[in-house]
């Protein structure tokens, strides 16, 4: 009988079992706080990991205790045949949970194939329910397509479906309450994500972060009382609340005002095969070369994963004067 591999523990005792995989750095919209309108730099297509390489990496990582996979981008649905990868990852022993983060623009047309691949958990990045403000933020007039995608996903039975709302101050305030109302009506959990310094245009500023406590106060005032939901998994990034009238839940990913790095269980694989121990990591380790060097490198890939976890820092340094933005923009790291 195989001896179970030693768990992926870092030097702070944090267990790593959650892998976020960016399957592309391309996107079909242009959120101003993530990408420039024009001139975004992309990885050469030849450098992008194939589905077979991603699957092999996941098999190795699963052997080390990774059980949860989140597929991200850029926009993952612009990657052709994504359902084929999802179906393959569902067959990897040890993988118990696969989720997708999408902007929803292509969801309506791909929902059936995604559903057939076994996918159920969706996070849809949508900052507003206002078509004009959507176009202002994303520089694309795709709001109706996103709403059609949400309708289709719910009709097919995807769930849980959550919305990711990037909370930029002096922009999103008018959307905070309508989003929560929409979530209550449709049984969708709204996740408000404090704006993080991950854009390449250096637009981020502490004064542009709409803080969790401010949003909570808005919801309490406009909708009603909320109570915290005890965390089933304290390592999950969101702090969750339910409305005391029993209708609807909201969550906050308060990376700036209430960092949760002490419980971090996440590793990230970029579309061009770099392993990152943190969203804000400055350093990253290439595994593409090992994946393309042939089947004999499994042990070396295992060593690389373990070393990456051992090298992991305590957490981001956004709230210190040591903070240095990561050398990669959000669209090439993935959420
Ligand atoms: S900032 Fe880095 S260390 Fe902190 S929770 Fe996010 S990925 Fe983990």
């Amino acid at each position: 009988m195989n001896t179970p591999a030693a768990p992926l523990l870092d030097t702070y005792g944090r267990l790593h079992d959650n892998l976020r995989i960016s399957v592309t750095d391309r996107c079909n919209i242009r959120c101003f706080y993530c990408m420039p309108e024009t001139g975004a730099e992309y990885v050469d297509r030849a450098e992008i990991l194939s589905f077979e390489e991603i699957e092999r990496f996941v098999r190795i990582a699963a052997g080390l205790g990774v059980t949860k996979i989140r597929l991200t981008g850029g926009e993952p649905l612009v990657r052709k045949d994504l359902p084929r990868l999802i179906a393959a990852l569902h067959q990897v022993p040890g993988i118990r949970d696969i989720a997708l983060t999408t902007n929803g623009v292509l969801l309506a047309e791909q929902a059936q194939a995604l559903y057939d691949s076994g996918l159920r958990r969706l996070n849809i990045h949508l900052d507003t329910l206002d078509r004009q403000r959507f176009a202002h933020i994303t520089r694309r007039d795709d709001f109706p397509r996103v709403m059609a995608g949400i309708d289709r996903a719910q009709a097919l039975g995807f769930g849980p479906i959550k919305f990711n709302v990037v909370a930029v101050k002096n922009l999103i305030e008018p959307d905070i309450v309508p989003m929560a109302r929409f979530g209550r009506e449709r049984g969708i959990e709204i996740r408000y994500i404090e704006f993080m310094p991950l854009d390449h245009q250096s637009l981020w500023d502490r004064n542009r972060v709409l803080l969790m406590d401010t949003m909570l106060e808005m919801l309490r005032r406009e909708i009603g009382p909320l109570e915290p939901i005890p965390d089933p998994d304290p390592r999950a990034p969101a702090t969750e609340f339910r409305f005391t009238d029993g209708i609807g839940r909201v969550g906050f990913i308060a990376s700036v005002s209430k960092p949760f790095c002490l419980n971090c269980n996440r590793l990230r694989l970029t579309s061009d095969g770099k392993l990152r121990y943190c969203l804000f990591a400055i350093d990253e380790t290439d595994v593409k070369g090992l994946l393309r060097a042939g089947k004999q490198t499994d042990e070396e890939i295992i060593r690389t994963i373990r070393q990456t976890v051992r090298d992991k820092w305590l957490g981001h340094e956004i709230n210190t004067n040591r903070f240095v933005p990561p050398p990669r923009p959000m669209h090439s790291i993935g959420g």
Side-chain angles (χ1 to χ4, degrees), residues 197-264:
L198 286 165
D199 63 297
H200 233 207
Q201 306 100 280
S202 307
L203 295 172
W204 187 86
D205 180 287
R206 191 169 298 285
N207 302 322
R208 300 193 74 178
V209 180
L210 190 54
L211 300 175
M212 165 177 161
D213 291 344
T214 309
M215 293 183 271
L216 257 180
E217 195 35 49
M218 291 168 79
L219 295 171
R220 284 197 173 104
R221 197 176 55 241
E222 304 287 330
I223 301 180
L226 288 140
E227 60 190 4
I229 300 172
D231 236 335
D233 179 358
R235 299 162 318 144
T239 308
E240 299 190 321
F241 294 80
R242 72 167 71 86
F243 288 96
T244 55
D245 63 6
I247 308 170
R249 301 162 59 124
V250 293
F252 297 89
I253 298 185
S255 311
V256 178
S257 66
K258 297 179 183 22
F260 36 82
C261 304
L262 296 179
N263 291 321
C264 185

Side-chain angles (χ1 to χ4, degrees), residues 14 260-261 264 266 268 277-280 312-316:
R14 296 172 294 193
F260 36 82
C261 304
C264 185
R266 293 169 291 283
R268 287 175 166 79
Y277 55 59
C278 172
L279 184 55
F280 294 95
K312 182 162 181 162
W313 59 13
L314 184 57
H316 71 62

Side-chain angles (χ1 to χ4, degrees), residues 15-18 68 233 235 263-267 312:
L15 176 70
H16 289 70
D17 60 2
N18 188 322
K68 295 181 86 164
D233 179 358
R235 299 162 318 144
N263 291 321
C264 185
N265 63 340
R266 293 169 291 283
L267 288 172
K312 182 162 181 162

